[in-house]
Amino acid sequence: MPRSPSPRRQHAVVLGAGMAGLLAGLALADHFPRVTIVDSDSLPAGPHSRSGIPQGNHAHGLFVQGLRVLERLLPGISSDLVARGAVPVDIGADYAWGTIHGWGSRFTSGHHVLAASRALFEWAVRQRVTALPPVSLLPRHRAEGLIGTATTVTGVTLRNTDNRRADTLDADFVVDATGRGSRAAHWLAALGHPRPPTTVVDPHLAYATRTYKIPYPPPPWLVCYLMMTAPATRGGIISPLEGGRWIVTLGGIGDDQPTNAEADFLPYARTLHHPALADALATATPLTPVTTTHTSANRRRHMENLTTQPRNFVLLGDAACCFNPIYAQGMTAAVLGADLLHHCLERHHGPDGLAAAYHRRLATLHDTCWLLSTTADSRFPTTEGPALTPTQRILGRYLTHVIRAGTRDPHVQKTFLNVVNMTSRPSALLTPRLVTRVVTARPARQQPGHSWPPPAGAPRGTAPAPARATTADNATTYWSPPQT
Ligand SMILES: Cc1cc2nc3c(=O)[nH]c(=O)nc-3n(C[C@H](O)[C@H](O)[C@H](O)COP(=O)(O)OP(=O)(O)OC[C@H]3O[C@@H](n4cnc5c(N)ncnc54)[C@H](O)[C@@H]3O)c2cc1C
């Protein structure tokens, strides 16, 4: 059968200028002479929060693997971030990892993340991407639909948010990166396509966040994380931000949700399963009021299950799949998804199948994050969603043992943190050696109030390793481009 002609690659349009949209723009800039990134919001000139990203007021961590791939896509971005005040954090040595079983073992991992605001991450990426010659930004324009046929999208309909005027933009390729609230299903239906099936798992979590001035002297850790895993229904994190600040996010599910009352913030922190976080806040000065969010559902739009879909319209980031934010997977998933898009654009020169092939591979990429987050969520009594699979039931119970063993055994903790940070596959937790260590780990003897341990092998009282500048490497253990 003769192949249909290659589609035009003149103008690509990205809807949404968040992390996913900007990184989609980066991927497309290698393949299209013109790339327009449209956003309904005004995009500030500096690293400031904005109304289109309400989640930006809450703690945002980018995993080791997300930072590594981001550094490969935008060489030097880690240095840019550090120069702007992002704080390098060793995930094993500087991170006080509190569980209901005691502190996670402490060790120098050599793996760093950068602690910074969501606004700084996005702004640093925006600076780099918009400097590329093919890329231009179109702020204050809301995407309202797709133009095209059943096989091909030829443009998008927009509304200018200043004067309410309707507009259109021709496009040879369109990426929907409009986030959790994506209207892609509705837009596809308007073109005559079936809507992608959607799966939702909602733990009914709320976050309350405020920023503080870091007190002097600071505590011995850089990040303090009190993990919320069943049966604990409350948790919290203190993490440094640029500008000598802490961002403090408290979270709870169901009846344990925190409120936005300033008077409740410290008392709520006192109810967490370890006093370290509240003790640290007791001497710190608040800089902002309390902001809350109830946006926590895991939601997947299964584009990979569609029997027909336009060949040049794809979803990326939260529009495709979003996760309960306590697992901090969203930005890393967006980075890896953009890398996949770049790979698919390179491999699929023909007109057919690019979108379908990309969505299939994106689904595989999301499978692991989805399994981990929804399995952990399904152990909360408030969670609504599909019934657990037998695999999830076993995995959920086993993860509890892994977390407990990690408080006794640095090797288990290291493997667990590598999986969390997506530098190792979850199968690393299932090797015979690791399983043996998990099941034979002595029960934790730590009690609430136990002080944060020194790194494994170091005498007690050792000061935490100083923060080092990150040199992100190129290893992509967790996700490597699939072979076509
Ligand atoms: C409370 C909370 C905490 C989180 N914490 C973490 C964390 O610790 N670590 C982590 O990795 N992830 C975290 N996430 C997830 C993370 O914010 C996202 O996964 C990540 O930023 C990628 O988002 P995105 O670019 O797909 O969408 P968004 O960041 O939501 O960006 C969507 C963009 O599209 C624009 N837009 C929306 N509709 C339209 C339209 N119709 N037309 C034009 N533009 C439009 C918006 O203005 C916005 O700029 C958290 C999320 C929440 C809710």
Side-chain angles (χ1 to χ4, degrees), residues 132-262:
L132 300 171
V135 176
S136 59
L137 279 180
L138 183 59
R140 296 188 300 283
H141 281 73
R142 174 170 298 109
E144 294 194 329
L146 301 173
I147 307 167
T149 65
T151 59
T152 311
V153 169
T154 56
V156 294
T157 56
L158 304 175
R159 185 157 311 268
N160 184 318
T161 58
D162 289 335
N163 58 23
R164 314 293 308 150
R165 211 171 284 151
D167 207 347
T168 61
L169 207 52
D170 291 343
D172 302 311
F173 195 86
V174 176
V175 178
D176 174 16
T178 55
R180 281 177 176 260
S182 163
R183 305 260 301 147
H186 179 77
W187 295 343
L188 285 168
L191 284 188
H193 285 278
R195 292 167 188 262
T198 302
T199 310
V200 181
V201 177
D202 192 347
H204 297 285
L205 168 90
Y207 266 9
T209 298
R210 75 189 308 194
T211 59
Y212 285 75
K213 187 170 182 291
I214 298 180
Y216 188 83
W221 35 258
L222 291 179
V223 177
C224 178
Y225 175 49
L226 298 183
M227 198 179 184
M228 192 201 312
T229 39
T233 48
R234 298 178 178 207
I237 187 166
I238 297 180
S239 184
L241 294 181
E242 64 277 10
R245 297 171 295 154
W246 271 343
I247 189 161
V248 184
T249 292
L250 308 176
I253 56 163
D255 292 342
D256 283 336
Q257 293 184 349
T259 73
N260 64 358
E262 289 179 21

Side-chain angles (χ1 to χ4, degrees), residues 15-21 38-41 50 52-53 55 58-62 118 141-143 177-180 187 207 293 295 316-319 325 328-332 334:
L15 307 175
M19 288 294 282
V38 180
D39 203 286
S40 48
D41 207 1
R50 58 188 180 91
I53 308 284
Q55 75 270 31
H58 301 277
H60 264 69
L62 177 66
R118 169 67 171 69
H141 281 73
R142 174 170 298 109
T178 55
R180 281 177 176 260
W187 295 343
Y207 266 9
T293 179
T295 306
L316 180 65
D318 284 10
Q329 296 167 314
M331 290 197 295
T332 297

Side-chain angles (χ1 to χ4, degrees), residues 226-375:
L226 298 183
M227 198 179 184
M228 192 201 312
T229 39
T233 48
R234 298 178 178 207
I237 187 166
I238 297 180
S239 184
L241 294 181
E242 64 277 10
R245 297 171 295 154
W246 271 343
I247 189 161
V248 184
T249 292
L250 308 176
I253 56 163
D255 292 342
D256 283 336
Q257 293 184 349
T259 73
N260 64 358
E262 289 179 21
D264 290 348
F265 199 78
L266 190 53
Y268 186 96
R270 284 258 168 249
T271 67
L272 303 187
H273 54 78
H274 196 283
L277 194 146
D279 286 352
L281 292 187
T283 57
T285 311
L287 298 173
T288 56
V290 179
T291 309
T292 51
T293 179
H294 293 77
T295 306
S296 67
N298 305 275
R299 177 176 284 102
R300 257 185 117 156
R301 295 183 175 91
H302 297 277
M303 292 294 289
E304 71 281 7
N305 289 353
L306 287 182
T307 45
T308 65
Q309 58 183 290
R311 60 190 182 174
N312 58 345
F313 173 67
V314 299
L315 272 55
L316 180 65
D318 284 10
C321 186
C322 54
F323 307 96
N324 177 349
I326 59 171
Y327 308 114
Q329 296 167 314
M331 290 197 295
T332 297
V335 173
L336 300 184
D339 196 27
L340 174 66
L341 177 62
H342 189 279
H343 174 82
C344 288
L345 285 163
E346 233 157 43
R347 292 293 178 98
H348 284 266
H349 297 294
D352 303 314
L354 194 160
Y358 161 82
H359 284 133
R360 266 198 311 276
R361 287 166 187 171
L362 188 68
T364 306
L365 193 160
H366 288 152
D367 277 345
T368 310
C369 303
W370 183 263
L371 179 72
L372 292 175
S373 62
T374 59
T375 299

